[in-house]
């Protein structure tokens, strides 16, 4: 828990620039605006929006934010230093930066002499001039500067004196932040800690007007105060979060990262792990406690917008982050959550889940039943029956840890309370496969009974499962209008025993939703259509059960 005396850390999100460099990730202008506004709500003070001028999308993004600015966060434009042997005042890309209209600009420059001579193909002195000229020009235009020292740690290890000269150039020109970047992601925490400590000490000495004799000091003549230190880490060694924490503990005051750790190659430091570690465990103030409870929702929101499946096993915000499957674990956590949970899930907006599987004990079944509002404590015989049925079905290939709605229906059936909203008496599916086309048209016919009345309906769809789902909805919607609000949101297929060839069993998981809730059901068969039918039917049935329970609750409250 943070207090008024907690040391302040400044978060800097680069999801919209560095994060979008992840392979397979692409966002529209509208996507970027939605994410920026969600990060603003989360309380992130600096949001890097992109590189104005690098592409039309980023130009329009900054223009739109000028018309409809964020409420709290500073939107930041990103750019490199000017080109070699030119001037900042005549550099076209810097005019695009100014046109973006942001108060803050992040400029990155080379810290590693290898990059200066190999990538930029210029001299070490010209690189220093590029840093000075770029920052001085932007300062003269009223901009505040965050300086990203690219490849800082590799550069410092290879040639510390020159690396420090690049920081001197940035300080003398008016940078307010010096962000040390582990651009290749290959540095280890003990190296990060030592080097950040070195930089904090050296820049502190510069503030007193002292400098080693190895190079000429630029600092005593500057009109600007010594900047604070930030950290920017990549995850190529699976160390990005650990390295960022090491830097903070060594004196860094700004932490750069991305939501869900998105980024080029192996990604960037994951803010969804950094924020709770820094705030809940180390006592730093990053965002408010109320904003911290939005972290899980923000993580999933961003993954939805960028159209990437959420990492269910991500620390803190993943669906499985506080999931308990082993019977001993469940029994212990029911008595005291501290036994198997390092924080309270609610602190980051997550929740505890009791997972049901063939490895479950009776305590799992009792706990899971309570989560569905069913008290089995006094019905131990029924609970044991449910547990045995669960294990029998999982031995056939069913998987209930990922299909909790199917398990809820199983419990209701074992207790004799499974409501029969409808009965499917049969179905047929016909597909037209057209050579050269990626998809096929399908026609599904279903026969169902509702309250003893038989209904025969047919519907077309882009594939057999879509057609089957459409036919079922068409047959039922006149009896249950709420079905019109149900959506089939995800469909997963897994072959369970591929060595048996076409006789292999198939497991189908179907996720459905009604705009407020989502639920998953499962089907298993040697026939993929049969397995799909089982899962789709149970998905509709569980949705109707939720609606029925909601109606009962409303009547009871009135």
């Amino acid at each position: 828990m943070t207090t008024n005396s907690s040391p302040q850390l400044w978060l800097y999100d680069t999801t919209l620039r560095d994060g979008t460099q992840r392979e397979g990730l692409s966002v529209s202008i509208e996507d970027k605006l939605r994410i920026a506004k969600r990060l603003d709500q989360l309380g992130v003070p600096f949001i890097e929006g992109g590189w104005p001028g690098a592409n039309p999308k980023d130009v329009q993004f900054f223009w739109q934010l000028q018309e409809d600015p964020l409420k709290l966060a500073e939107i930041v434009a990103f750019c490199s230093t000017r080109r070699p042997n030119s001037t900042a005042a005549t550099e076209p890309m810097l005019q695009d930066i100014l046109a973006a209209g942001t108060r803050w600009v992040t400029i990155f420059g080379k810290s590693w002499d290898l990059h200066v001579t190999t990538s930029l193909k210029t001299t070490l002195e010209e690189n220093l001039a590029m840093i000075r000229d770029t920052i001085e020009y932007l300062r003269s235009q009223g901009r505040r500067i965050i300086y990203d020292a690219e490849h800082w740690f590799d550069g410092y290890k290879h040639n510390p004196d020159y690396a420090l000269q690049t920081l001197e150039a940035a300080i003398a020109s008016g940078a307010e932040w010096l962000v040390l970047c582990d651009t290749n992601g290959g540095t280890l925490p003990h190296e990060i800690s030592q080097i950040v400590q070195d930089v904090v000490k050296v820049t502190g000495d510069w503030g007193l007007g002292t400098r080693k004799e190895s190079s000429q000091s630029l600092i005593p003549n500057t009109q600007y105060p010594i900047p604070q230190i930030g950290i920017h880490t990549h995850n190529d060694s699976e160390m990005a979060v650990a390295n960022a924490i090491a830097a903070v503990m060594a004196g860094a005051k700004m932490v750069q990262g991305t939501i869900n750790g998105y980024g080029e190659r192996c990604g960037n430091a994951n803010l969804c792990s950094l924020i709770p570690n820094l705030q809940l465990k180390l006592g730093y103030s990053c965002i408010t406690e109320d904003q911290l409870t939005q972290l899980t929702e923000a993580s999933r929101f961003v993954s939805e917008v960028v159209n990437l499946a959420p990492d269910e096993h991500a620390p803190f915000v993943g669906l499985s982050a506080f999931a308990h499957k082993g019977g001993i674990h469940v029994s212990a956590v029911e008595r005291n959550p501290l036994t198997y949970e390092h924080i309270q899930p609610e602190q980051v907006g997550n929740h505890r889940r009791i997972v049901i599987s063939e490895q479950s004990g009776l305590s799992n079944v009792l706990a899971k039943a309570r989560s569905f509002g069913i008290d089995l404590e006094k019905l131990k015989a029924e609970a044991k029956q449910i547990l045995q049925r669960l294990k029998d079905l999982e031995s056939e290939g069913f998987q209930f840890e990922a299909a909790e709605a199917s398990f809820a229906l199983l419990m209701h059936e074992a207790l004799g309370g499974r409501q029969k909203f409808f009965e499917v008496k049969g179905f047929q599916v016909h597909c037209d496969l057209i050579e050269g086309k990626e998809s096929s048209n399908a026609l599904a016919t279903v026969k169902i009974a509702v309250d003893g009345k038989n209904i025969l309906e047919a519907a077309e769809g882009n594939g057999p499962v879509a057609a089957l789902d459409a036919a079922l909805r068409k047959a039922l919607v006149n009896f249950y209008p709420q079905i019109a609000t149900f959506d089939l949101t995800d469909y997963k297929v897994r072959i369970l025993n591929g060595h048996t060839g076409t006789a292999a069993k198939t497991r189908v998981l179907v996720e459905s939703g009604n705009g407020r809730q989502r639920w998953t059901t499962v089907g298993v068969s040697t026939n993929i259509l049969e397995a799909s039918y089982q899962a789709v039917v149970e998905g509709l049935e569980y949705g109707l059960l939720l609606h029925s329970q909601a109606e009962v609750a409303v009547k009871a409250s009135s």
Side-chain angles (χ1 to χ4, degrees), residues 262-338:
Y262 297 147
E264 196 166 22
R265 303 186 314 275
C266 305
N268 288 44
N270 187 350
L271 289 178
C272 296
S273 295
L274 274 171
I275 295 171
N277 272 319
L278 292 167
Q279 187 152 321
L280 297 178
K281 300 193 175 186
L282 293 176
Y284 290 95
S285 177
C286 300
I287 55 181
T288 68
E289 291 182 16
D290 287 343
Q291 288 166 334
L292 185 59
T293 64
Q294 302 173 30
L295 187 63
T296 296
E297 181 187 344
S299 166
R300 294 173 185 173
F301 174 85
V302 173
S303 67
E304 287 287 338
V305 172
V306 303
N307 198 28
L308 290 175
D311 180 359
E312 295 185 352
H313 299 279
F316 296 102
V317 297
L319 183 65
S320 300
F322 301 96
H324 306 281
K325 181 173 178 178
I328 294 174
H329 291 212
V330 172
S331 179
V333 85
E334 285 274 294
R335 295 188 183 96
N336 187 339
L338 289 175

Side-chain angles (χ1 to χ4, degrees), residues 329-442:
H329 291 212
V330 172
S331 179
V333 85
E334 285 274 294
R335 295 188 183 96
N336 187 339
L338 289 175
T339 53
Y340 286 100
E341 291 177 353
H342 63 118
I343 66 165
Q344 297 174 17
E346 295 76 17
Q347 290 178 289
V348 292
N350 211 334
H351 65 278
R352 180 179 307 122
R353 293 175 56 243
I354 304 303
V355 176
I356 294 296
S357 78
E358 60 187 2
Q359 298 181 30
S360 300
L362 191 58
S363 56
N364 294 59
V365 173
L366 297 176
K368 178 56 71 175
R370 281 194 294 275
S371 73
F372 285 105
I374 300 172
D375 186 3
L376 290 178
E377 293 290 348
K378 298 178 182 178
L379 302 170
K380 293 293 178 69
E382 288 83 351
K384 290 180 180 178
Q385 177 187 346
I386 292 170
L387 179 60
Q388 187 57 51
R389 178 63 175 155
L390 166 75
K391 294 188 175 185
D392 290 343
L393 286 171
E394 291 224 344
S395 69
E396 296 176 17
F398 284 81
Q399 184 188 57
F400 290 97
E401 64 182 75
E404 295 180 342
S406 286
F407 181 72
L409 294 175
L410 184 153
M411 284 194 295
H412 283 292
E413 185 170 1
L415 297 172
R418 183 168 179 175
Q419 187 175 350
K420 287 291 183 182
F421 295 96
F422 59 91
E423 179 184 359
V424 179
K425 294 195 168 184
F427 71 92
Q428 291 182 335
V429 179
H430 174 77
C431 292
D432 292 323
L433 298 176
I434 302 174
E435 187 175 354
K437 288 196 173 183
E438 294 182 359
S439 60
S440 61
N441 293 322

